[in-house]
Amino acid sequence: MAGLNGSARTRHARRLFAGIAPEYDRMAEVLSFGQNGRWRRFMVSRLDVGPGARVLDVATGTAGVAVAIAGRTGAHVVGLDQSHEMVAGGRRAVSDAGVRVSFVLGQGERLPFDDAAFDAVTFTYLLRYVDDPPATLRELARVLRPGGTLANLEFLVPPNPVWRAAWVLYTRVGLPVGGLVASREWWATGRFLGPSISGFYREHPLSEQGGWWRDAGISGVRYRPMSLGGGIVIWGTKSPTSVDG
């Protein structure tokens, strides 16, 4: 797809995920101590959709969220990702699960869909990899119908000082070492993740991010820290009075 060159940040993300795609699901569970799947399921449970609904899953990766949505709700899910390799893994996962998910190669910053095209929109581990997070949120909200749910899963830096110290130790030492067991690519990913997460929240605390959601026309925004603050699910509803574009 033309237009996938993007900025240095998005090109880095594409290279990063291309190298880890083959073992992404297994390693994500191992390195998160089995919590990644639980976080996904909680986010999916925030969606009020059923058979016949259309749901967009942005940064779908190997389609873990998309498969969970389709299996739980019966909705038709479109998974969008900028990585050829991750989408290839997603297609295999969908085939194995026997659910209805289609795929589009593209970027969350420039969605190839009409306004209000979806009944719900989810995105996972996305905003750290884009140049303009508020603009990306507005773009995600643009394709969501009024009254629909926007939901996000992201890592979090634990607020409790004790757990934060343990988290820093794990992300700076445990993740790289654990990743090295799998491959050189996972070692590089492990080295990148901790500083990336810390830097994102240092520059953009949750209070600021809440403002992004409201500015995008999302109301009733709620937060649920997961696993002692290792992850977070954020969700809200597109206001009926929102004006797209």
Side-chain angles (χ1 to χ4, degrees):
M1 177 178 176
L4 279 186
N5 290 329
S7 67
R9 185 189 298 267
T10 57
R11 291 196 302 273
H12 173 258
R14 202 152 55 240
R15 289 193 300 271
L16 187 74
F17 285 102
I20 64 175
E23 297 185 341
Y24 180 81
D25 291 310
R26 181 174 66 85
M27 287 300 296
E29 289 303 312
V30 170
L31 296 178
S32 70
F33 298 103
Q35 297 303 295
N36 184 60
R38 189 172 72 85
W39 298 350
R40 287 173 173 175
R41 289 190 294 273
F42 179 78
M43 180 178 68
V44 171
S45 74
R46 303 302 90 190
L47 307 183
D48 184 18
V49 295
R54 281 174 52 82
V55 179
L56 175 64
D57 180 43
V58 178
T60 194
T62 52
V65 171
V67 168
I69 294 170
R72 182 179 186 273
T73 70
H76 173 65
V77 183
V78 177
L80 180 139
D81 202 280
Q82 67 166 344
S83 168
H84 294 267
E85 293 82 2
M86 295 292 270
V87 167
R91 293 186 192 280
R92 290 191 292 271
V94 166
S95 177
D96 292 343
V99 293
R100 186 172 61 158
V101 177
S102 58
F103 291 91
V104 173
L105 195 66
Q107 294 170 294
E109 304 95 313
R110 295 181 296 277
L111 296 172
F113 307 109
D114 293 335
D115 295 353
F118 295 93
D119 300 292
V121 176
T122 59
F123 60 106
T124 306
Y125 310 129
L126 172 66
L127 296 184
R128 286 181 293 110
Y129 299 101
V130 302
D131 292 317
D132 191 338
T136 300
L137 264 174
R138 292 194 296 272
E139 177 68 354
L140 296 170
R142 178 186 66 80
V143 303
L144 177 63
R145 67 164 175 81
T149 300
L150 181 66
N152 169 222
L153 168 61
E154 182 53 90
F155 293 115
L156 181 66
V157 179
N160 180 284
V162 174
W163 289 115
R164 184 166 60 247
W167 179 89
V168 169
L169 178 63
Y170 177 64
T171 58
R172 298 322 193 263
V173 180
L175 274 178
V177 171
L180 187 59
V181 173
S183 69
R184 184 177 181 84
E185 289 79 10
W186 270 104
W187 173 74
T189 301
R191 291 185 62 203
F192 167 79
L193 274 178
S196 169
I197 298 163
S198 298
F200 183 72
Y201 285 101
R202 186 166 54 249
E203 294 180 20
H204 308 297
L206 279 176
S207 57
E208 179 185 344
Q209 294 182 44
W212 299 345
W213 286 64
R214 291 186 290 272
D215 291 345
I218 306 299
S219 61
V221 178
R222 299 182 63 185
Y223 307 80
R224 175 69 67 86
M226 308 293 291
S227 303
L228 302 173
I232 188 168
V233 174
I234 308 173
W235 71 98
T237 303
K238 184 172 181 179
S239 303
T241 56
S242 295
V243 177
D244 297 311

